[in-house]
Amino acid sequence: MDISLILKAAGVGLIVSVLCQILTKAGREEQAMLLSAAGVVIVLLMVVKELGGLISTIRSIFGL
């Protein structure tokens, strides 16, 4: 695992939070909520991909 995953997640979080603040100030709370949910899904997909690689590495180590 690399530090790049943490930096990517932080970057997505930063962009999403700024855009949510802009949308909230503009009176578009529904779009801000959808944007924050999309940001969470994007970060979860990145984490699941890394977990898949970790599980396959563990399987290859133990010969499963």
Side-chain angles (χ1 to χ4, degrees):
M1 193 160 139
D2 200 11
I3 191 85
S4 66
L5 178 65
I6 296 170
L7 293 176
K8 285 179 188 177
V12 169
L14 184 67
I15 291 170
V16 166
S17 66
V18 168
L19 291 176
C20 283
Q21 289 294 322
I22 291 171
L23 287 172
T24 302
K25 296 290 182 182
R28 298 178 181 249
E29 288 82 16
E30 294 87 10
Q31 285 87 0
M33 187 186 323
L34 287 174
L35 180 66
S36 64
V40 169
V41 168
I42 289 170
V43 171
L44 283 177
L45 287 174
M46 292 187 325
V47 170
V48 165
K49 186 176 81 169
E50 291 294 322
L51 282 176
L54 175 65
I55 290 173
S56 72
T57 302
I58 291 172
R59 281 186 180 173
S60 68
I61 287 172
F62 291 112
L64 298 176

